[in-house]
Amino acid sequence: MTFDASPRPELPRRLILGSTSRYRRELLQRLGLPFDCEAPQVDETPQPGEAPRALAERLALAKARDVARRHPETIVIGSDQVADLHGQPLGKPLVHARAVAQLQQMSGQTVVFHTAVAVVCEALGLEARQVAEVRTRFRTLSASEIERYLLAERPYDCAGSAKSEGLGISLLEAIDNDDPTALIGLPLIRTCAMLRDAGLQIP
């Protein structure tokens, strides 16, 4: 019996998105890489006095680490986004009344969205993270505009109660960022860089 001793190309490592967010899943699909999704088991409660950027970074890394512990040979992506209004974190409103209150607070204000992404692979000893900051300036919004928007788009699962990729763009005066998909929930430029460092080919 003859054995082929020639070197064989290594198969790329499996990739998992440590999130159940459909927005992040749709963004990651743009890269054309096969991946699975798995929900991380992480307490997202802010720590006392924790700044919004630090909260987003800590949670992104915690989510990636949690899934990576269960799949040590796999490359895992974790991500988190926190809206920052003058140093105060704004999370997902979940219900209509809280979304109204958030948009009333944000009306006429500059809000910074901190979108953190972490890539972890225990087998490679890899643990990397980055944070993209997106500065948004909201128009002065009337009560009727807020109500019409929320009833039309129902963005109750979005930090800051608005979807910039949809009708929420009409609430804004300006967006300033260096990673265009960060506001939607996953900064793909930064994600690509870290995945390449992990050995994946993109494109």
Side-chain angles (χ1 to χ4, degrees), residues 15-65:
L15 179 64
I16 296 179
L17 175 62
S19 174
T20 57
S21 164
R22 63 185 177 92
Y23 308 110
R24 293 192 179 106
R25 183 180 69 247
E26 289 168 0
L27 287 171
L28 190 58
Q29 284 173 341
R30 295 187 189 184
L31 303 184
L33 296 171
F35 67 93
D36 298 309
C37 293
E38 184 167 325
Q41 306 300 316
V42 172
D43 181 0
E44 299 190 25
T45 305
Q47 296 176 351
E50 189 171 29
R53 179 188 173 102
L55 172 61
E57 189 171 8
R58 177 176 63 82
L59 291 180
L61 184 57
K63 291 174 181 179
R65 282 174 172 171

Side-chain angles (χ1 to χ4, degrees), residues 5-110:
S6 60
R8 299 177 184 274
E10 291 186 7
L11 293 174
R13 288 184 183 273
R14 181 174 166 227
L15 179 64
I16 296 179
L17 175 62
S19 174
T20 57
S21 164
R22 63 185 177 92
Y23 308 110
R24 293 192 179 106
R25 183 180 69 247
E26 289 168 0
L27 287 171
L28 190 58
Q29 284 173 341
R30 295 187 189 184
L31 303 184
L33 296 171
F35 67 93
D36 298 309
C37 293
E38 184 167 325
Q41 306 300 316
V42 172
D43 181 0
E44 299 190 25
T45 305
Q47 296 176 351
E50 189 171 29
R53 179 188 173 102
L55 172 61
E57 189 171 8
R58 177 176 63 82
L59 291 180
L61 184 57
K63 291 174 181 179
R65 282 174 172 171
D66 178 72
V67 176
R69 276 194 292 269
R70 296 192 290 275
H71 306 280
E73 296 292 330
T74 302
I75 298 168
V76 180
I77 300 170
S79 187
D80 193 78
Q81 183 181 75
V82 179
D84 177 352
L85 178 61
H86 308 314
Q88 296 301 312
L90 300 175
K92 298 174 184 176
L94 302 180
V95 297
H96 185 84
R98 287 183 61 189
V100 170
Q102 281 192 354
L103 289 176
Q104 287 173 338
Q105 286 180 280
M106 296 158 69
S107 174
Q109 303 297 312
T110 295

Side-chain angles (χ1 to χ4, degrees), residues 88-172:
Q88 296 301 312
L90 300 175
K92 298 174 184 176
L94 302 180
V95 297
H96 185 84
R98 287 183 61 189
V100 170
Q102 281 192 354
L103 289 176
Q104 287 173 338
Q105 286 180 280
M106 296 158 69
S107 174
Q109 303 297 312
T110 295
V111 180
V112 179
F113 287 81
H114 304 279
T115 307
V117 59
V119 173
V120 173
C121 179
E122 291 193 353
L124 293 174
L126 173 68
E127 192 169 278
R129 60 189 183 272
Q130 294 191 39
V131 182
E133 290 190 357
V134 182
R135 300 182 70 83
T136 61
R137 189 165 67 249
F138 279 75
R139 295 189 300 106
T140 299
L141 305 172
S142 68
S144 60
E145 285 178 315
I146 290 173
E147 191 70 14
R148 287 199 307 272
Y149 169 68
L150 291 176
L151 291 178
E153 199 149 64
R154 301 183 181 276
Y156 306 131
D157 59 346
C158 299
S161 304
K163 293 181 184 179
S164 65
E165 69 275 25
L167 183 59
I169 198 70
S170 68
L171 308 180
L172 302 175

